[in-house]
Amino acid sequence: MDRFPHAANVDFHSPLDLTKAAAAVLDAEGRVSGWGSSAERLLGHSPEDVLGKPAARLLAATPGQRLPTLCKLCQGHRPRSTVLDLCCRDGRTLRAAVTFSPLAHRGAAATVVVAADLDTLRGWEAQLAMLQGLTTESAVGLTIFDTDMRVVWGNVSTDLELAGIDQYIGRPAADLFPEGEFISRHHPPDEDQIMEHVLTTGEPIMGMHYRGRAPADPVREHVWSCSYHRLVDARGELLGLFEESLDITDRYRAQERLSLLVRAGKRIGASLDVRRTAAELADVAVPQLADEVLVDLPPAVIEGRQPPTGSAPGHSLLRMHGRTPEEFRTSPVSYPPSSPQAQSLATSRPVVDASPSVAPGGTGPAASHSCLFVPLLTRNAVLGLATFRRSSNPDRFGPEEQTLAVELAERAAVGIDNARRYTSQHAAALVLQRSLLPQHLPEQSAVDVAYRYLPADSRVGVGGDWFDLIPLSGARVGLTVGDVVGHGVHAAATMGRLRATVRTLALLDLDPAELLTRLDGLVAQDSEPDSDDGLGDETLGVTCLYAIYDPVSGRCVWASAGHPPPVVADANGSVALSALAPGPPLGLGGLPYENVELSLSSGSVVALFTDGVVEDRHTDIDSGIDRLAHVLTWQRCPLEELCDRALSARPPGPQTDDATLLLVRTRRLGTDRVADLELPPDPAMVAHARTDTERQLTDWGLSELSFSAALVVSELVTNSIRYATGPVMLRLIRDRCLLCEVSDNAHTAPHLRRARRDDEGGRGLFLVAQMSQRWGTRYTASGKTIWAELAIP
């Protein structure tokens, strides 16, 4: 048989109780004179089998020992109990607990024998011991309430918590812990409602967490796990209910500390912003650990610089308080040398002030019960101080809570230090990037220009956008925008290197497709992994658009390496995206780039931009281009105003990419500022070219340049007629300087050399270089053009 019956069948009557035990009666000779049905159930023998027969036959002992054993037990005047092995009808041996009770009736001696299965008896005794332990020794508090929810009984644990249960007998349950409250979320928070529910439905409620102060320990706040069960008697009538409670204060607080640390690991330090990190510390710690958290930092740390060293602890700090960055406020604060704050900073250890008379920092009266000052330490440096204040909770910070506060402060210190370093690096990258971008664009007769550069949100980092306007020969201008994929110092440095390369190649008077081809080769070389630093791959993902505008012809030629094409608004107000098919991004190598040519009327507006202007996380690039095109319908507005409108039209919120916009309004040089002359390849035409140049300069009011200009034209025309086979074109342009251009069909460029004293020639280009402020050669599809610029006095 099972020693312990199933819980649903628990019966607290003793197995030796006459209502349950096997009973028999023995006469004076030891014969069975009475045999109950319970005895038959236990051993299997029917009354006919045993009545009138010696009871010793039922003993499993050896035949010689049966009778002496039985006689000894039946003698005496008091009941005797023992353990015997009894023979069952089916041949089994049953170890039983047996009690022999002498009985005298009308002078006749008899013995009443009561027997029960020994295992069943031991199980019943264990149940009694358990009940005794629950009543007198268990840490689980047991309290019984009647149907009116008044206290009826409590065990020793409840008696200790209440400092005497007797004073609460007959009182309502609410009187036990008048200031306590349930903190479970899924049940009614009112104890009367919970008990009423259990009494009415019979449904037990378990695992409710109750927080309060026990009368035996009114200083410390405790947490109990409480369960409620209905009580009914054997007839099923309602008796009341009982509550079992277990003090889980230490376990609950350990779980709270663990959950707090988990939440802190997810939230503190994820923003790379000093103020936001301080707010995250306050948001995590309030109200579970403290009612308010203050963070005091030196201004240098907030600005991204190294924390000061050598100054007095607590001198000239900025206090930040609030639970969100929007609520955060800063105010200056200093600590006296003898204050607990200064002591904490000086010793790099937490300090508890159990009875602060004024608010931390000496800012005025405070209702704080306890303050905990924890230094913010990282890499052997003190960044600042975190103050944990309690005003509604009268408990002082205990050792475990101090350890928890230190762990939170350490996480916050690491986050603040990372944010400080990031702020410093971001500021350095921003300074680097802006130093590499043009500080101002030179004024040009060919175009009016306006530009905007907006860096991405500080948490993303500085990007690699660039733009430039490059003065070229013949009053032309080169326009470029580009983007290096990625953020940070490396992206900014790569941007600066590429911008300088584009400017250098542009000054060679290369057409856009040729310039991008050469730039692609250079980027491809840089993209090869370097065994020394391994940074080569970071130059992949570079896009660039380069355009050349000629104000004499109104022609604009551009080519793109993976960059969005420009948006053009003509003088009539119609806006269209250029029919430019972008080539591959720079660095892939081997793929061609194509030029696209467009004739622009005077007053046209061309928008060159990076994807940050037209693309974000919420809208695609097509929608952004449509938005920019709509802004350009106002093309008669000043360019500065158009720039502002274009960027203000972007969706609000943090931007994940830099935005660069370059707006250009084209101009045309009229015929009154340009003179063209076609000359046959005849040396006699040199004098004719010199005469026409002098006459044109007189018409422009530039007679003072006649000698030098005529000399330059004479040398350039002579050179072309000598080495070319076709006609020679002479062009004079009056711009901010006087431009002299001579074009022919030859593809060989003259070279400047120093002539010897006895040489009859070779001094022409030397004279041109001396008379002009700059000169050069550019190649065209039909030949070359040699040009020279003369400064106008």
Side-chain angles (χ1 to χ4, degrees), residues 444-447 470-479 509 512 546-558 596-603 606 664-670 673-674 676 731-733 735 739 741 743 778 780 785:
Q444 298 292 307
S445 300
V447 292
I470 308 166
L472 301 177
S473 63
R476 302 170 307 142
V477 292
L479 306 168
D509 276 321
Y546 180 64
I548 297 177
Y549 174 67
D550 186 350
V552 177
S553 63
R555 293 172 57 250
C556 188
V557 181
W558 45 52
V596 172
E597 183 176 325
L598 183 66
S599 180
L600 299 177
S601 59
S602 181
V606 181
V664 176
R665 177 173 284 124
T666 61
R667 294 178 185 159
R668 297 285 291 270
L669 296 182
R673 300 177 62 181
V674 181
D676 290 322
R731 170 175 288 179
L732 301 176
I733 301 174
D735 192 21
L739 302 174
E741 296 184 346
S743 304
R778 68 174 181 268
T780 64
T785 298

Side-chain angles (χ1 to χ4, degrees), residues 411-449:
R411 292 177 182 268
V414 172
I416 290 173
D417 190 53
N418 289 339
R420 179 193 65 79
R421 291 171 176 266
Y422 174 79
T423 300
S424 176
Q425 293 177 1
H426 181 269
L430 192 59
V431 170
L432 173 63
Q433 184 189 43
R434 289 181 172 170
S435 66
L436 295 175
L437 289 173
Q439 303 304 308
H440 66 277
L441 297 180
E443 293 185 6
Q444 298 292 307
S445 300
V447 292
D448 286 330
V449 179

Side-chain angles (χ1 to χ4, degrees), residues 235-266:
R235 299 182 301 276
E237 294 183 2
L238 181 63
L239 296 177
L241 77 160
F242 78 91
E243 173 197 65
E244 54 179 339
S245 61
L246 178 64
D247 192 327
I248 60 169
T249 302
D250 294 338
R251 185 182 71 189
Y252 179 82
R253 290 183 176 176
Q255 291 176 344
E256 288 286 287
R257 289 193 296 271
L258 179 60
S259 64
L260 192 65
L261 290 175
V262 171
R263 193 162 75 250
K266 294 179 179 179

Side-chain angles (χ1 to χ4, degrees), residues 507-530:
L507 294 178
L508 297 177
D509 276 321
L510 302 177
D511 67 63
E514 176 65 20
L515 183 144
L516 292 182
T517 300
R518 296 196 184 188
L519 187 63
D520 175 68
L522 294 174
V523 173
Q525 292 178 7
D526 290 342
S527 299
E528 296 177 359
D530 189 337

Side-chain angles (χ1 to χ4, degrees), residues 677-686 689 712-731 740-751 764-765 768 775-778 783-787:
L677 179 63
E678 183 175 349
L679 301 171
D682 184 355
M685 291 295 102
V686 176
V712 169
V713 169
S714 175
E715 293 298 334
L716 295 181
V717 171
T718 299
N719 191 290
S720 292
I721 291 176
R722 177 177 298 174
Y723 296 104
T725 59
V728 175
M729 295 296 302
L730 170 63
R731 170 175 288 179
C740 302
E741 296 184 346
V742 176
S743 304
D744 55 47
N745 59 4
H747 289 83
T748 58
H751 297 284
L765 287 181
V768 171
W775 72 282
T777 304
R778 68 174 181 268
K784 70 175 184 301
T785 298
I786 304 177
W787 53 270

Side-chain angles (χ1 to χ4, degrees), residues 525-546:
Q525 292 178 7
D526 290 342
S527 299
E528 296 177 359
D530 189 337
S531 59
D532 293 333
D533 56 20
L535 296 177
D537 289 339
E538 295 190 29
T539 57
L540 289 175
V542 180
T543 65
C544 181
L545 173 70
Y546 180 64

Side-chain angles (χ1 to χ4, degrees), residues 455-711:
D457 182 74
S458 60
R459 287 172 292 178
V460 177
V462 173
D465 287 11
W466 86 84
F467 65 95
D468 207 351
L469 182 147
I470 308 166
L472 301 177
S473 63
R476 302 170 307 142
V477 292
L479 306 168
T480 181
V481 292
D483 187 4
V484 177
V485 175
H487 297 85
V489 174
H490 185 71
T494 302
M495 173 273 294
R497 187 171 70 249
L498 292 176
R499 174 177 170 262
T501 303
V502 169
R503 174 171 280 268
T504 301
L505 293 175
L507 294 178
L508 297 177
D509 276 321
L510 302 177
D511 67 63
E514 176 65 20
L515 183 144
L516 292 182
T517 300
R518 296 196 184 188
L519 187 63
D520 175 68
L522 294 174
V523 173
Q525 292 178 7
D526 290 342
S527 299
E528 296 177 359
D530 189 337
S531 59
D532 293 333
D533 56 20
L535 296 177
D537 289 339
E538 295 190 29
T539 57
L540 289 175
V542 180
T543 65
C544 181
L545 173 70
Y546 180 64
I548 297 177
Y549 174 67
D550 186 350
V552 177
S553 63
R555 293 172 57 250
C556 188
V557 181
W558 45 52
S560 170
H563 203 83
V567 177
V568 180
D570 63 22
N572 297 324
S574 61
V575 182
L577 186 67
S578 170
L580 172 62
L586 298 174
L588 299 182
L591 297 177
Y593 299 99
E594 297 181 359
N595 288 327
V596 172
E597 183 176 325
L598 183 66
S599 180
L600 299 177
S601 59
S602 181
S604 299
V605 175
V606 181
L608 293 81
F609 53 89
T610 59
D611 53 3
V613 176
V614 295
E615 189 177 22
D616 60 73
R617 287 179 290 183
H618 306 292
T619 58
D620 57 24
I621 190 170
D622 292 334
S623 300
I625 291 176
D626 291 341
R627 184 176 66 239
L628 177 61
H630 175 72
V631 172
L632 294 185
T633 59
W634 300 80
Q635 57 95 16
R636 294 186 181 276
C637 295
L639 293 181
E640 295 289 341
E641 181 179 341
L642 288 179
C643 282
D644 293 336
R645 287 191 180 192
L647 294 183
S648 63
R650 295 192 304 166
Q655 301 297 325
T656 59
D657 199 3
D658 293 7
T660 300
L661 177 62
L662 179 63
L663 292 184
V664 176
R665 177 173 284 124
T666 61
R667 294 178 185 159
R668 297 285 291 270
L669 296 182
T671 56
D672 60 330
R673 300 177 62 181
V674 181
D676 290 322
L677 179 63
E678 183 175 349
L679 301 171
D682 184 355
M685 291 295 102
V686 176
H688 180 60
R690 187 164 50 243
T691 302
D692 282 356
T693 298
E694 292 173 346
R695 182 185 309 113
Q696 184 63 57
L697 293 182
T698 301
D699 292 342
W700 283 342
L702 300 176
S703 301
E704 62 270 29
L705 286 178
S706 296
F707 175 77
S708 55
L711 179 59

